[in-house]
Amino acid sequence: MNKWLFAFLVVLTTSLMGSAFTIGKIGLSYATPIMLVALRFLLAGSLMAIIVKCLRIPYPKRASDWLKIALIGFFQTAAVMGCIFVSLRTITAGQSSILTFTNPLLVVLFGTLFMKMSYSLRQWFGVILGFIGVLITLGAQVDLRIGTLYGFLSAISWAIGTLLIKKWGTQINTWVLTAYQMLFGGLILFVGSFLLEDPSFQITPVSVAILVWLAIMASIVQFAVWFYLLQKGDPGKTSAFLFLAPFFGVLTGWLLLDEMISWNVILGGGCIFIGIFLVNWMAKVR
């Protein structure tokens, strides 16, 4: 691939990942958090399911495969995105994005503990540096706000979802898996909204525009571009660029919400970025 096209697509997909935190925080002015993210993924999942149907991509025939898709949808969409949007009530979009994107570090830790994977010394150094970065980032919050906990829970859920996809993903078509895990996750969130909050969504031109942006640009387009890059380039090298996503989360939070960027966020975020880079760059499981 042309290096300029590659660079453009990397910036496009990671900026969409990162800016979704800021756009989502703006959306909380019009909706309760779980209902907003539920509508996002019900819309995104439905549109992708229609695309899958039109392309005549074969569906799984076994009930066990659909159960696996639903379980991935619970961790990868419902738990991750639900925790992110609830966290945005009490912490900044930048802090939430930094916490969420510690998930590659947790993948190494959980993969070693539960899937008997083996990683290099460089990758373990990246994990340690990344967690030092988390401690620095949260250093000014001795009270550890509830949003901090939800932000970290989103990273844990994402890591679990990643390992489940690694384990089961080859058995199911990627586009079918993506469409229906979003749809199942959206349904779980929709039910959860009525159980865990007093759901509401104000229909205004701004709120609808936010919902459409989150569903189409920050979900369907973002995933399609990321998947394309993983197919065309080396997955290890490409995954290293994930460290750009929390950078865009912090940047858009500053530009659109006037969120203050303190020294501990800059220093801690830098350690996390370097840690993720060390974990992912030319990462090979032995």
Side-chain angles (χ1 to χ4, degrees):
M1 187 190 305
N2 179 280
K3 64 179 181 180
W4 295 109
L5 175 60
F6 179 83
F8 169 75
L9 293 178
V10 164
V11 171
L12 174 64
T13 188
T14 54
S15 64
L16 288 173
M17 286 184 198
S19 64
F21 290 82
T22 302
I23 302 301
K25 192 171 182 71
I26 296 173
L28 295 183
S29 301
Y30 305 91
T32 51
I34 302 178
M35 178 55 71
L36 177 59
V37 74
L39 294 175
R40 168 187 176 179
F41 285 103
L42 283 174
L43 177 57
S46 298
L47 290 174
M48 281 206 70
I50 292 172
I51 293 172
V52 166
K53 185 70 174 179
C54 291
L55 294 175
R56 298 181 178 179
I57 298 174
Y59 289 95
K61 295 181 180 179
R62 296 182 301 178
S64 60
D65 288 335
W66 286 105
L67 182 61
K68 291 173 182 176
I69 293 173
L71 191 59
I72 290 171
F74 172 79
F75 284 106
Q76 187 68 35
T77 293
V80 172
M81 295 300 168
C83 287
I84 288 173
F85 275 65
V86 172
S87 77
L88 291 172
R89 277 185 158 179
T90 55
I91 62 175
T92 67
Q95 288 170 328
S96 181
S97 64
I98 288 173
L99 287 170
T100 298
F101 280 96
T102 59
N103 79 89
L105 310 176
L106 294 173
V107 167
V108 173
L109 182 61
F110 292 166
T112 301
L113 293 176
F114 303 115
M115 297 183 71
K116 298 181 179 178
M117 295 179 178
S118 179
Y119 294 89
S120 68
L121 184 62
R122 183 200 67 249
Q123 289 171 296
W124 275 111
F125 179 74
V127 169
I128 294 170
L129 183 62
F131 281 113
I132 290 174
V134 171
L135 294 176
I136 294 173
T137 300
L138 305 179
Q141 298 180 15
V142 180
D143 58 336
L144 290 181
R145 301 172 190 172
I146 189 65
T148 303
L149 174 62
Y150 280 116
F152 196 61
L153 283 176
S154 70
I156 293 174
S157 299
W158 194 348
I160 294 172
T162 298
L163 291 173
L164 291 179
I165 291 173
K166 182 178 180 63
K167 184 176 181 179
W168 296 330
T170 56
Q171 306 168 21
I172 306 167
N173 177 274
T174 301
W175 295 105
V176 172
L177 174 60
T178 302
Y180 283 93
Q181 70 90 12
M182 286 198 296
L183 191 55
F184 283 135
L187 288 170
I188 294 169
L189 287 163
F190 188 75
V191 174
S193 177
F194 288 91
L195 296 175
L196 302 173
E197 64 184 9
D198 184 15
S200 68
F201 183 83
Q202 301 175 33
I203 300 178
T204 69
V206 175
S207 66
V208 172
I210 288 172
L211 178 60
V212 170
W213 176 272
L214 290 173
I216 296 178
M217 295 303 296
S219 299
I220 296 176
V221 173
Q222 180 270 309
F223 171 80
V225 174
W226 184 247
F227 182 64
Y228 176 77
L229 288 172
L230 290 176
Q231 281 187 319
K232 295 297 182 180
D234 178 85
K237 287 184 177 181
T238 302
S239 295
F241 289 101
L242 273 176
F243 75 94
L244 289 172
F247 165 76
F248 284 114
V250 173
L251 181 63
T252 54
W254 173 62
L255 290 174
L256 299 180
L257 298 174
D258 293 324
E259 293 180 350
M260 296 297 294
I261 305 176
S262 60
W263 69 267
N264 62 299
V265 171
I266 296 173
L267 179 59
C271 290
I272 292 170
F273 298 162
I274 296 171
I276 294 173
F277 181 85
L278 292 173
V279 166
N280 285 302
W281 191 257
M282 291 297 289
K284 294 181 180 179
V285 179
R286 296 196 303 271

